[in-house]
Amino acid sequence: MKISLIWEHLYMVFWAVVFSLMAGLPLGVLTYFYPKARKAILWVVDLFQTIPSLALLGIIMVFLGAGKVTVITGLTLYSLLPIVRNTYLGLREVDPALKEAARGMGMSRGYQLLHVELPLASPVIFTGIRIAAVNAVGTAVFAIFVGGGGLGSMLYNGIRIQNMSMILKGTGVLMLMAILFDFGMGRVEVFLNRKTAGKSRVSAGYAD
Amino acid sequence: MIQFEHVVKRYGKNTILHDLNFTIPDGQFVVLIGPSGCGKTTSLKMINRLIEPDEGRILIDGEDYAGKNPVNLRRHIGYVIQQIGLFPNMTVAQNISVVPRLLGQDKAACDKKVHELLEMVDLPYEQYAHKYPNELSGGQQQRIGVLRALAASPPIVLMDEPFGALDPMTREVLQDEVKRLQRKLHKTIVFVTHDMGEALKMADIIIFMNGGQIEQMAPPEKMLEAPASDLVRSFLGKHQLSDSNPLYVEDFMRTNPYTVDFHRGVLECAEKMARSGVDTLLVTDDDDHYLGTVSIRDIKLKGREAGSIEPLISTEVRTVCLGDDAQESVNYLLTSGESYVVVLRPDQTVAGIITKNSMAKVVANTLWGDDK
Ligand SMILES: Nc1ncnc2c1ncn2[C@@H]1O[C@H](COP(=O)(O)OP(=O)(O)OP(=O)(O)O)[C@@H](O)[C@H]1O
Ligand SMILES: [Mg+2]
């Protein structure tokens, strides 16, 4: 097994999450700010998820050609839903009393978003990022069909030559990757939760 | 000065405020009170334009802010809410500094302000400034909530049931603190509550609302003297003035004081005093009539040769009779330095004594209920 396959895989997942965050965060805020746009935005990002991933990649390949760019674009669209939805939910669920206090003290809309709402919504938003990343690890397997490489090639070749140990190895690495992402980012969430609940680190240590 | 002129507010078909008119002069502590849903919060939030009126005008220092950006107005009006609303992701110092920062003050100025404010409510800066809100008790949190509203020295502060969620003791302390701060800083405070006791204690002027209209607007004494309606009267309830229940000496009295018969010997008396831990005994005759007191000091001075306590009896201690007004005795004890007053029945037998201790107990019981 080549380490480069793992790096390739991670590379695609990483950029997909970064791009979907760059697009999804503003979209989530938009969804929260404008009730009128809410339905449309959530409907569109939901739609991407209902297209079978392989089909989505195929469609994009028609426009962008085979290669990593196609994979990353596909994964990005695919990851939008959890990020947009969690950003929206996280912002919506911030205690209304805090929102009112912020407004009543004379924060502008943007200031309130940046200093109160986004920090307090960050654990929920991060959950969205984690879901997106874990999903992307699995979905990136299809990259092999549109010339993107990654761990999918191990599974594909394993199936083609009916090599069980190759299939198992590939699967094992993918599973491990997903679990590590899930666990590692889960820890970050705990940290964010603590931070937004306002416990200083010392007392949080005692609370454990 | 805050003026409401013909203010109307509707939600759908429901008219919440009907043609509201009132003026709040500068430096006054004004309390809005009334039954639930009468429009107190709605009126309050119109002042800092969290809610806009449908008709009429609200003038602040003569200026109508309708149609202008409310953000700047709000930075000059302090705002305290019942849910406290401290930002949990910010420290105490950061919470207090929010509005000064919004107004562009630098970090040093903010820090100075935080120092100054925490000092005013006896929360040491070193200990509290860098704590997070959830590390504080509810009472401490709302103290910070009040300081946060005062941080940019706004001339007006709005408070919507700020102490509603606190326990009675903490509420009492915070009421005193806020009243003190208001007197010291000369703020105009508009304060919503539905606790008449709180209103009477804090207010310079009480605005009693009902169904979106003003039922009565008056200083507390005026409202107590002449409630405008039965509703106001029922809210005043137990706070109303009445002269039907003055306090009597027996209300402050401790029964079963240590007494001794006047035939008894000096040594026996001294021994009884030592055993009971007192320095005087009440002396009675054969029919239990009160004769006076005998003190350990007199026994030590000249008791040895006396043998009997009869020549040592003193009548200097003040006596009162059951049914006497308590106020005079209480004042006497508080000012004379004497340690007790003897209460007699009409037939001159001993009913009990009033001491500073027994007075304090009664006061404590009335304040906090009858338990130790
Ligand atoms: N956003 C709203 N939509 C519809 N009705 C509302 C809204 N806000 C308030 N009301 C109604 O307006 C009336 C006055 O509300 P307000 O909150 O001012 O009452 P309040 O005097 O503060 O009562 P409480 O003592 O319970 O806090 C109530 O009947 C309430 O149901
Ligand atoms: Mg209210």
Side-chain angles (χ1 to χ4, degrees):
Chain A
M1 183 180 59
K2 281 185 270 171
I3 291 289
S4 67
L5 287 183
I6 298 180
W7 283 121
E8 215 168 32
H9 205 90
L10 285 176
Y11 175 86
M12 292 184 290
V13 169
F14 175 78
W15 285 110
V17 172
V18 168
F19 289 135
S20 66
L21 190 60
M22 278 164 55
L25 207 59
L27 279 175
V29 171
L30 225 59
T31 312
Y32 171 61
F33 275 3
Y34 301 103
K36 288 203 183 102
R38 178 171 313 153
K39 269 226 171 93
I41 294 174
L42 288 177
W43 183 78
V44 170
V45 294
D46 211 20
L47 190 70
F48 286 131
Q49 285 239 319
T50 58
I51 306 173
S53 17
L54 195 51
L56 184 65
L57 291 177
I59 295 167
I60 296 167
M61 189 168 67
V62 171
F63 295 99
L64 300 179
K68 290 201 175 52
V69 176
T70 294
V71 181
I72 291 172
T73 310
L75 291 181
T76 301
L77 293 178
Y78 220 61
S79 303
L80 274 179
L81 179 65
I83 291 177
V84 172
R85 194 187 46 202
N86 277 41
T87 303
Y88 166 63
L89 286 180
L91 292 172
R92 196 187 65 181
E93 295 307 316
V94 170
D95 184 353
L98 295 177
K99 293 176 186 170
E100 195 192 292
R103 212 155 72 90
M105 293 169 76
M107 290 190 188
S108 65
R109 198 66 199 83
Y111 193 96
Q112 180 180 335
L113 180 74
L114 239 53
H115 289 84
V116 177
E117 291 170 311
L118 278 177
L120 292 175
S122 63
V124 181
I125 296 174
F126 203 80
T127 307
I129 298 173
R130 177 167 59 92
I131 295 169
V134 172
N135 282 344
V137 168
T139 311
V141 165
F142 293 113
I144 182 65
F145 297 112
V146 291
L151 287 167
S153 60
M154 251 178 107
L155 297 187
Y156 180 76
N157 290 331
I159 292 167
R160 209 165 41 102
I161 61 174
Q162 303 211 349
N163 182 336
M164 189 50 120
S165 87
M166 200 164 166
I167 297 174
L168 284 182
K169 260 190 213 159
T171 311
V173 173
L174 280 167
M175 282 174 68
L176 193 69
M177 207 182 267
I179 290 169
L180 284 177
F181 265 104
D182 205 31
F183 177 78
M185 295 172 87
R187 295 304 300 171
V188 178
E189 262 173 68
V190 171
F191 170 76
L192 284 175
N193 256 318
R194 235 180 239 172
K195 236 184 111 161
T196 52
K199 282 206 178 90
S200 67
R201 257 178 250 167
V202 180
S203 67
Y206 288 127
D208 272 349
Chain B
M1 193 165 66
I2 305 169
Q3 290 164 284
F4 274 56
E5 291 183 348
H6 304 291
V7 171
V8 174
K9 181 69 193 175
R10 298 186 197 89
Y11 284 114
K13 285 208 187 84
N14 296 332
T15 306
I16 304 302
L17 299 179
H18 303 264
D19 192 26
L20 212 53
N21 290 286
F22 61 83
T23 299
I24 296 175
D26 284 338
Q28 295 286 304
F29 200 119
V30 174
V31 173
L32 289 173
I33 192 168
S36 189
C38 68
K40 305 182 291 288
T41 298
T42 308
S43 308
L44 189 81
K45 286 188 187 171
M46 281 182 168
I47 298 172
N48 65 358
R49 298 198 36 223
L50 287 171
I51 296 177
E52 299 286 344
D54 291 323
E55 286 173 30
R57 304 194 302 166
I58 294 155
L59 307 176
I60 294 172
D61 291 331
E63 193 172 345
D64 185 0
Y65 285 85
K68 299 179 191 161
N69 188 355
V71 161
N72 202 42
L73 175 71
R74 290 182 191 144
R75 291 175 187 173
H76 294 93
I77 298 182
Y79 189 41
V80 185
I81 56 178
Q82 175 171 3
Q83 305 91 326
I84 301 175
L86 293 181
F87 303 119
N89 54 322
M90 302 181 190
T91 62
V92 165
Q94 287 167 336
N95 265 289
I96 294 176
S97 308
V98 166
V99 182
R101 291 314 289 263
L102 284 170
L103 290 170
Q105 295 178 17
D106 62 21
K107 238 184 136 62
C110 290
D111 216 46
K112 186 160 161 270
K113 195 77 202 176
V114 172
H115 260 282
E116 198 181 297
L117 287 168
L118 284 175
E119 200 164 288
M120 273 200 304
V121 296
D122 289 325
L123 294 173
Y125 177 91
E126 290 71 26
Q127 199 177 339
Y128 288 98
H130 303 298
K131 283 208 156 123
Y132 284 90
N134 70 347
E135 297 173 292
L136 305 177
S137 72
Q140 290 171 335
Q141 286 184 26
Q142 193 56 300
R143 265 197 193 92
I144 305 301
V146 172
L147 296 187
R148 181 173 70 170
L150 295 173
S153 310
I156 299 173
V157 180
L158 309 179
M159 303 188 169
D160 195 348
E161 303 196 37
F163 311 138
L166 303 176
D167 65 274
M169 282 267 270
T170 312
R171 190 181 314 156
E172 196 90 14
V173 174
L174 265 102
Q175 286 168 350
D176 293 339
E177 232 156 52
V178 164
K179 190 71 199 166
R180 186 170 54 82
L181 289 174
Q182 189 255 347
R183 286 217 184 93
K184 189 169 152 192
L185 306 171
H186 307 292
K187 304 288 179 198
T188 306
I189 295 189
V190 187
F191 186 108
V192 171
T193 183
H194 47 235
D195 174 354
M196 191 45 108
E198 188 166 66
L200 292 170
K201 173 173 173 182
M202 311 285 280
D204 296 320
I205 301 170
I206 298 178
I207 299 180
F208 193 107
M209 290 180 69
N210 184 28
Q213 283 169 318
I214 294 182
E215 192 101 350
Q216 185 173 15
M217 178 167 172
E221 319 84 64
K222 284 273 158 49
M223 194 167 278
L224 282 165
E225 244 166 58
S229 67
D230 287 341
L231 183 69
V232 178
R233 202 186 314 275
S234 78
F235 256 72
L236 288 168
K238 62 173 178 174
H239 301 289
Q240 267 171 109
L241 302 176
S242 71
D243 29 27
S244 60
N245 53 352
L247 291 166
Y248 300 114
V249 285
E250 50 266 44
D251 296 322
F252 290 92
M253 178 179 79
R254 186 166 75 78
T255 52
N256 297 320
Y258 297 103
T259 56
V260 64
D261 189 277
F262 76 108
H263 296 303
R264 300 289 169 181
V266 166
L267 291 178
E268 197 185 337
C269 273
E271 195 261 335
K272 183 166 184 174
M273 287 181 197
R275 194 155 27 90
S276 324
V278 296
D279 57 7
T280 49
L281 293 173
L282 307 185
V283 186
T284 56
D285 68 11
D286 296 331
D287 299 321
D288 285 341
H289 292 140
Y290 173 76
L291 293 177
T293 61
V294 59
S295 73
I296 189 74
R297 210 180 48 128
D298 286 344
I299 289 176
K300 276 184 183 154
L301 236 59
K302 49 203 168 181
R304 302 288 169 200
E305 57 266 31
S308 149
I309 57 170
E310 200 175 351
L312 301 182
I313 295 173
S314 147
T315 52
E316 270 167 23
V317 173
R318 177 183 279 231
T319 62
V320 291
C321 201
L322 283 183
D324 283 357
D325 188 347
Q327 193 177 358
E328 196 200 351
S329 305
V330 169
N331 285 340
Y332 172 76
L333 280 180
L334 290 176
T335 53
S336 69
E338 295 299 328
S339 51
Y340 62 99
V341 170
V342 178
V343 184
L344 300 180
R345 299 197 180 88
D347 63 0
Q348 296 299 303
T349 56
V350 175
I353 58 172
I354 302 176
T355 65
K356 283 178 188 158
N357 241 329
S358 71
M359 274 167 24
K361 239 174 227 163
V362 172
V363 172
N365 284 348
T366 4
L367 281 180
W368 300 302
D370 195 354
D371 55 31
K372 293 169 205 157

